[in-house]
């Protein structure tokens, strides 16, 4: 990086530092410019996807207002509520599944334990989209792809497979000493009590991580939800809604509103992500310290 | 006396399964044999009346489902032919109107047939468990021991059998919504279920024809498969290794002792992880359009005289998806390697500096080998993840640019092609073949990695 050796070691180090800082600033600019542009576009007054200047020439709040007042083509608040409802149910079910499976594979001895873990690993290897159409056919055969059962179908889609995603949680539970279970067992605790009164409280940071991660799933997925909701726009989730705002027939009017909607969705998701990272790091410190 | 008891207990424990199906059939006697036909009989005679009745009810329920009209047996019997009756228009003599008579729907036959086979499998499992449980109850009764009543059996679900309670819901969901769809989809690979040749309602088994067509490098579909596969591998290679090298370098730069605000730099870079991909990538897609802001800026600045074909020319598009993937992927690498970088023993660096090694020599001879050693499993996971990287490709280019008459675009990966083939083009049979192929490749790679990884070996020590 710094080729010039000017004077002693100190001068060289300072040059190197300056170069590094410049490099980092440039990197961060590259990383942030698209988001900055997105935010600026969301305040742009006017229509159309393509404009001739980087920054808008006129600013307005109407794009945000339109998302919450104009419902004839896209009902953004309803999409938001749909996604929120689906995400809440999904996160309860998946967290319960993941915790059950992790506890059983980490703490208990049972005959099918190893086969189950191998099966989960194999299932994880199948590309998720491979069975997507088949899942749709199955839900259709169960009569769950019409009308108000669509949200239920989405909840199933997002949470049914979570029984295979237990590796991180299991790894965490493995760090809890077995002697704690044994001690509780001596004191007359049943396995269920050990699970609810000892293991779960010790896993708190990891549970928070798991809850938020599965809560975010429905917000960021657009493929599964799109296959199930098809054209039933009243059951759209936020991501399908935003996606369809950029379809050819809408993009001219809706591009700036897409930007506004994207900002509104991204902020909470980004904050939640930061929270998960905090808890994840805390969790990686180990379950029982000392 | 107590010594003899413990010995007996030990010997019973040594026999792998005291009440296995085999021992039940051999040593059970007429009641157990009869309970093979009437499930739950053993339990009822052994004193576990409620449990026995539940087994019996399950048996009656399943058998009723199987033998009823339009039930399981019917669907299984239709599986070999997959149906042949077309929808017909029949003139109704009484009402003088044409009426439609529903024909067979191969897709439903296949689904219900496979589901019915699964139900038969379930019946076998329940049957096995009922015979064993009945045998156990009878044995306990004969030995004059206490036979747990229904309430105690339920209670045991919260203690020594808690895994049955906890594992049931996740496993049931997996079976219905993951395993069954996979079986269903895999069986489609052996049929001609496709829009091509109008086989969307009625289709037949065609054996390995689809596999032959796809792996035949002279057929149209085979050529496309070849080019998509090549691009998928090229993409996965560059996406993985460029991300890894550049991410490591950036992480090292941020890690330098004299650099301040480390959290700030890492935070800025991780914006691309925090913001949902469908937002960030669609914004980039919009910026890269021919009319988009990047072309406009370059034109305004006079750097180019005509618009650059970012996403409309095959080579441009391919290079760009790799570059944009760096934008998304480098932060992940930074997150992954930051901790590991700090673990490299400082003495190695000191020794190298004393010997007069420069920055590059240190990087290539100390840092990189160490990182490769520690992170090989991570890199291979990334590689398989990139083969399946649906989001970046589909959101950025949707697989385009697309040649005329092709079903795959120039930037399509196997996974996006699979999606297009099944959702857009309804060539389910080809999609299924590609899915199976991807799975086989990925599972070979992953099994090798997983088997040699530390976590698997640790798991062997589980007691």
């Amino acid at each position: 990086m710094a080729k010039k050796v000017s004077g002693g070691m100190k001068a060289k180090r300072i040059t190197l530092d300056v170069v590094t800082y410049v490099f980092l600033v440039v990197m961060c600019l590259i990383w942030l410019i698209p988001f900055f542009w997105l935010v600026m576009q969301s305040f742009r007054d006017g229509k159309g996807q393509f404009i001739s200047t980087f920054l808008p020439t006129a600013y307005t709040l109407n794009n945000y207002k339109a998302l919450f007042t104009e419902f004839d083509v896209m009902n953004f608040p309803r999409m938001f509520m749909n996604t929120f409802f689906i995400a809440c149910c999904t996160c309860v079910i998946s967290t319960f599944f993941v915790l059950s499976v992790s506890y059983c594979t980490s703490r208990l001895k049972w005959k099918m334990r190893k086969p189950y873990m191998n099966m989960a690993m194999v299932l994880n290897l199948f590309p998720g989209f491979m069975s997507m159409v088949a899942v749709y056919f199955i839900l259709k055969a169960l009569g769950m792809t019409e009308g108000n059962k669509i949200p239920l179908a989405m909840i199933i889609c997002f949470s049914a497979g979570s029984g295979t995603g237990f590796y991180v949680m299991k790894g965490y539970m493995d760090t809890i000493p077995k002697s704690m279970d044994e001690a509780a067992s001596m004191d007359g605790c049943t396995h269920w009590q050990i699970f609810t009164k000892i293991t779960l409280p010790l896993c708190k940071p990891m549970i928070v991580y798991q809850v938020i991660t599965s809560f975010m799933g429905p917000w960021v997925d657009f493929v599964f939800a799109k296959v199930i909701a098809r054209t039933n726009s009243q059951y759209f989730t936020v991501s399908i809604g935003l996606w369809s705002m950029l379809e050819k027939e809408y993009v001219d009017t809706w591009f700036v509103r897409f930007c506004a909607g994207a900002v509104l969705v991204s902020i909470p998701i980004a904050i939640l992500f930061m929270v998960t990272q905090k808890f994840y790091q805390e969790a990686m410190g180990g379950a029982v310290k000392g | 006396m107590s010594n003899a008891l413990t010995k007996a207990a030990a010997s019973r424990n040594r026999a792998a399964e005291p009440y296995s199906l085999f021992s039940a059939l051999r040593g059970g006697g007429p009641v157990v044999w009869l309970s093979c036909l009437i499930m739950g009989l053993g339990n009822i005679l052994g004193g576990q009346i409620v449990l026995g009745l539940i087994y019996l009810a399950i048996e009656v329920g399943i058998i009723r489902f199987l033998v009823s009209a339009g039930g399981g047996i019917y669907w299984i019997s239709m599986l070999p032919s997959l149906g042949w009756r077309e929808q017909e228009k029949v003139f109704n003599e009484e009402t003088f109107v044409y009426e439609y008579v529903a024909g067979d729907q191969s897709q439903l036959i296949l689904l219900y047939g496979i589901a019915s086979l699964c139900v038969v499998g379930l019946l076998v499992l329940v049957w096995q468990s009922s015979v064993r449980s009945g045998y156990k109850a009878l044995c306990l009764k004969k030995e004059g021991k206490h036979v747990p009543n229904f309430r105690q059996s339920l209670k045991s679900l919260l203690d020594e059998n808690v895994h049955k309670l906890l594992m049931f819901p996740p496993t049931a969901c997996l079976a219905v919504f993951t395993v069954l769809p996979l079986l269903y989809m895999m069986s489609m690979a052996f049929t001609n279920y496709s829009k091509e040749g109008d086989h969307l309602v009625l289709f037949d088994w065609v054996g390995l024809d689809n596999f032959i067509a796809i792996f035949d490098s002279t057929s149209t579909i085979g050529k496309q498969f070849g080019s998509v596969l090549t691009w998928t591998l090229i993409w996965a290679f560059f996406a993985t290794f460029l991300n890894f090298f550049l991410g490591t370098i950036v992480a090292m730069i941020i890690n330098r002792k004299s650099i301040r605000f480390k959290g700030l730099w890492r935070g800025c870079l991780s914006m691309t992880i925090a913001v949902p991909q469908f937002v960030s990538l669609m914004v980039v897609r919009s910026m890269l359009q021919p009319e988009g802001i990047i072309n406009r800026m370059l034109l305004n600045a006079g750097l180019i005289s005509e618009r650059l074909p970012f996403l409309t020319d095959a080579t441009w598009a391919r290079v760009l998806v790799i570059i944009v993937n760096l934008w998304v992927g480098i932060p992940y690498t930074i997150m992954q390697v930051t901790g590991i970088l700090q673990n490299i023993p400082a003495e190695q660096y000191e020794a190298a500096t004393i010997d007069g090694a420069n920055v590059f020599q240190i990087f290539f001879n100390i840092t990189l080998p160490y990182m490769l050693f520690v992170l090989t499993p991570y890199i291979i996971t990334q590689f398989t993840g990139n083969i399946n990287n649906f989001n970046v490709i589909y959101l950025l280019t949707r697989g385009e640019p697309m040649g005329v008459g092709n079903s795959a675009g120039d930037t399509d990966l196997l996974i996006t092609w699979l999606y297009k083939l099944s959702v857009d083009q309804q060539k389910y049979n080809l999609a299924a073949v590609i899915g199976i192929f991807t799975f086989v490749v990925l599972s070979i790679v992953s099994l090798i990695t997983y088997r040699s990884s530390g976590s698997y070996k640790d798991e062997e020590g589980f007691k």
Side-chain angles (χ1 to χ4, degrees), chain A residues 1 8 10 17-18 21 56 60 64 74 86-88 103 118 126 141 169 184 194 205 226 251 266 278:
Chain A
M1 270 166 275
K10 199 175 180 187
D17 279 354
V18 171
Y21 279 120
T60 173
Y64 288 91
M74 309 257 179
I86 294 171
C88 286
Y103 177 73
N118 285 335
F126 278 98
M169 184 70 88
I194 296 176
K226 206 161 100 186
V251 70
S266 300
K278 188 179 151 278

Side-chain angles (χ1 to χ4, degrees), chain A residues 16-17 20-21 31 49 52-54 106 113-114 121 125 127 129-130 134 170 190-192 219 277, chain B residues 158-159 184-185 253 256 258 260 269 272 278 286 293 297 300 327 335 390 415 419 446 450 459 462:
Chain A
L16 212 70
D17 279 354
T20 316
Y21 279 120
W31 251 254
Q49 187 181 176
S52 51
T53 53
F54 185 79
S106 167
R113 183 178 160 274
K114 199 81 195 176
M121 198 188 66
L125 286 175
F129 307 117
M130 181 176 167
K170 175 185 176 293
T190 63
H191 281 293
W192 174 258
W219 295 90
Q277 284 312 300
Chain B
L158 288 180
D159 197 8
Y184 180 40
M185 200 66 195
I253 290 174
R256 276 170 52 95
S258 51
R260 289 175 168 211
L269 295 182
T272 43
F278 75 92
S286 159
I293 192 69
M297 290 289 106
N300 286 359
W327 183 66
M335 272 169 58
F390 183 86
I415 184 86
Y419 175 81
S446 313
Y450 181 67
E459 179 60 30
F462 184 91

Side-chain angles (χ1 to χ4, degrees), chain B residues 3-61:
Chain B
N3 197 15
L5 267 179
T6 31
K7 253 186 196 161
S11 76
R12 178 172 295 161
N13 282 342
R14 218 174 294 135
E17 283 281 332
Y19 303 107
S20 74
L21 182 66
F22 194 64
S23 63
L25 292 181
R26 204 175 40 188
V31 181
V32 175
W33 295 333
L34 198 58
S35 80
C36 293
L37 284 180
I38 305 166
M39 277 164 44
L41 190 68
N43 296 92
I44 295 173
L45 294 180
Q48 297 174 316
I49 294 171
V50 184
L51 191 64
L53 287 178
I54 290 177
Y55 274 126
L56 193 62
I58 295 177
E59 183 188 18
V60 171

Side-chain angles (χ1 to χ4, degrees), chain B residues 255-324:
Chain B
N255 264 11
R256 276 170 52 95
K257 275 208 192 83
S258 51
I259 297 298
R260 289 175 168 211
F261 316 119
K262 290 184 181 4
L264 174 76
W265 306 119
R266 286 192 199 119
C268 278
L269 295 182
S270 57
M271 275 302 280
T272 43
I273 314 181
V275 173
Q277 284 193 341
F278 75 92
V279 169
S280 58
L281 291 174
M282 268 152 79
V283 170
V284 173
R285 176 182 158 86
S286 159
M287 294 174 93
L288 286 172
Q289 292 296 308
E291 300 276 319
I293 192 69
I294 293 184
N295 260 327
R296 181 69 72 168
M297 290 289 106
L298 291 173
L299 275 175
N300 286 359
L303 289 172
I304 51 170
S305 54
E306 56 185 73
R307 297 194 167 91
L308 295 176
F310 286 128
L311 300 178
T312 45
D313 178 82
T315 321
W316 272 99
R318 286 181 172 186
V319 174
L320 269 173
V321 287
I322 292 179
I323 293 178
V324 175

